[in-house]
Amino acid sequence: MKTKHLRAIGLLVVTGLFVIAWAFPILWSVLNSLKNERDVLAYPPKFFFEPTFAAYRDVIFGPQSILPNLWSSFVISAGTTVLTMLIAIPAAYALARLRVPGSRWAGFYVLATQMLPPVGIIIPYFLILRNIGWMDTYQGIILIYLSFSLPFAIWLMVSYFEDIPFEMEEAAAVDGASRLTTLRRIILPQVQGGIAVTVVFVFLNAWNEFLFAVVLSGNTVRPVTIAMFNFVSVEQTLWTQLAAVSVLAMLPVVILGIIAQKHIVKGLTVGAVKGGGRR
């Protein structure tokens, strides 16, 4: 009994250390966003200070307001997510259900595209967008984001479609439902959790993307991940403003995760409770 209690305490301590290590960068950003510059640079670090919202006022209403950059990130992420899901859902369903020649190779090709290093394909993307006049535009950046978010979404959604028993579709076919009607009324409600998980991950990847954004964006379309460098220069780094921007950039993703939390938990556990419908 004593050994069992010691193991439980040890597991609790290890879990607590992991939680602290994960939460420390977020806590650091939140605390520093509420300090003034003198308190941020104080040594030893100050954990008790008089909080101020001056940094948030500067980055929201100041001359270097990040509101346009947050809007650019939202438009790019939302546009990428909507287009990705519109294409990924029927494509994943076809790969999971239709047995046509080449479907297996198509699935492998989708997975293989995720193995390409982004730095190796960024120059062709840059030349393509420049030649068609889509540099520093929403449609250009969304198109490029679509190239890496779509394979990921298809690969993720296929596993959820494969967990739906074939018997459900066969029963619908007996009742006279077409394949499209079956997909819309029977299959999609069964994979709501998987769709929620995929939407969150696609939006999150697009929101956090940096490498393509720094090359393909400019003064017209400038995501918040790039705009953060407005507060870093050779002369100085505005730590409080930088921390405030970090907190504001995290908020939309956190809110999305809270809204979709119920579906995410369901989607992540669906594979463990269903028997699978592969044939």
Side-chain angles (χ1 to χ4, degrees):
M1 184 63 73
K2 187 176 179 180
T3 304
K4 188 176 181 181
H5 286 168
L6 288 176
R7 286 180 180 176
I9 293 173
L11 182 61
L12 192 62
V13 171
V14 172
T15 304
L17 291 176
F18 273 109
V19 171
I20 292 174
W22 174 83
F24 177 77
I26 300 174
L27 184 62
W28 184 92
S29 297
V30 173
L31 289 177
N32 283 331
S33 69
L34 298 175
K35 293 180 179 178
N36 56 46
E37 288 291 339
R38 186 178 57 187
D39 289 339
V40 169
L41 299 176
Y43 185 82
K46 285 187 175 181
F47 293 100
F48 300 99
F49 55 90
E50 185 177 352
T52 174
F53 291 92
Y56 289 97
R57 183 190 60 216
D58 292 342
V59 300
I60 293 176
F61 302 108
Q64 291 184 315
S65 173
I66 64 160
L67 291 183
N69 309 111
L70 286 171
W71 175 249
S72 293
S73 290
F74 176 77
V75 172
I76 293 171
S77 302
T80 302
T81 304
V82 171
L83 287 177
T84 297
M85 297 310 296
L86 287 176
I87 302 173
I89 289 175
Y93 177 75
L95 285 175
R97 283 297 196 253
L98 303 182
R99 293 295 177 258
V100 296
S103 61
R104 191 171 181 178
W105 285 105
F108 175 76
Y109 172 77
V110 168
L111 186 60
T113 56
Q114 292 295 290
M115 303 176 187
L116 294 174
V119 70
I121 57 178
I122 195 168
I123 294 178
Y125 283 162
F126 172 82
L127 295 175
I128 291 171
L129 291 188
R130 190 188 63 177
N131 290 336
I132 63 177
W134 279 11
M135 279 290 295
D136 195 18
T137 62
Y138 285 119
Q139 65 268 28
I141 296 177
I142 289 174
L143 179 66
I144 300 304
Y145 281 19
L146 195 65
S147 66
F148 61 81
S149 65
L150 186 58
F152 169 76
I154 294 175
W155 175 70
L156 196 59
M157 285 300 303
V158 164
S159 60
Y160 290 102
F161 282 121
E162 287 181 339
D163 284 332
I164 304 297
F166 272 96
E167 289 75 11
M168 297 180 67
E169 294 183 67
E170 292 172 349
V174 171
D175 291 337
S178 64
R179 188 174 287 273
L180 183 61
T181 302
T182 304
L183 173 64
R184 183 165 54 89
R185 294 188 176 181
I186 298 176
I187 302 301
L188 289 184
Q190 298 295 320
V191 295
Q192 282 183 353
I195 294 175
V197 171
T198 309
V199 165
V200 170
F201 277 112
V202 171
F203 188 91
L204 188 63
N205 289 336
W207 186 272
N208 292 330
E209 209 288 324
F210 177 81
L211 180 60
F212 289 104
V214 76
V215 175
L216 305 177
S217 65
N219 294 326
T220 305
V221 179
R222 192 173 178 83
V224 69
T225 49
I226 310 302
M228 294 177 69
F229 285 91
N230 292 342
F231 304 96
V232 179
S233 65
V234 177
E235 292 80 13
Q236 65 175 342
T237 299
L238 302 175
W239 290 107
T240 57
Q241 287 88 340
L242 196 59
V245 174
S246 300
V247 174
L248 292 175
M250 284 189 287
L251 281 181
V253 179
V254 172
I255 294 172
L256 178 63
I258 293 174
I259 294 174
Q261 183 181 12
K262 179 181 175 182
H263 295 293
I264 291 174
V265 173
K266 183 180 178 181
L268 291 176
T269 57
V270 68
V273 299
K274 290 191 176 180
R278 296 182 182 181
R279 281 186 174 179

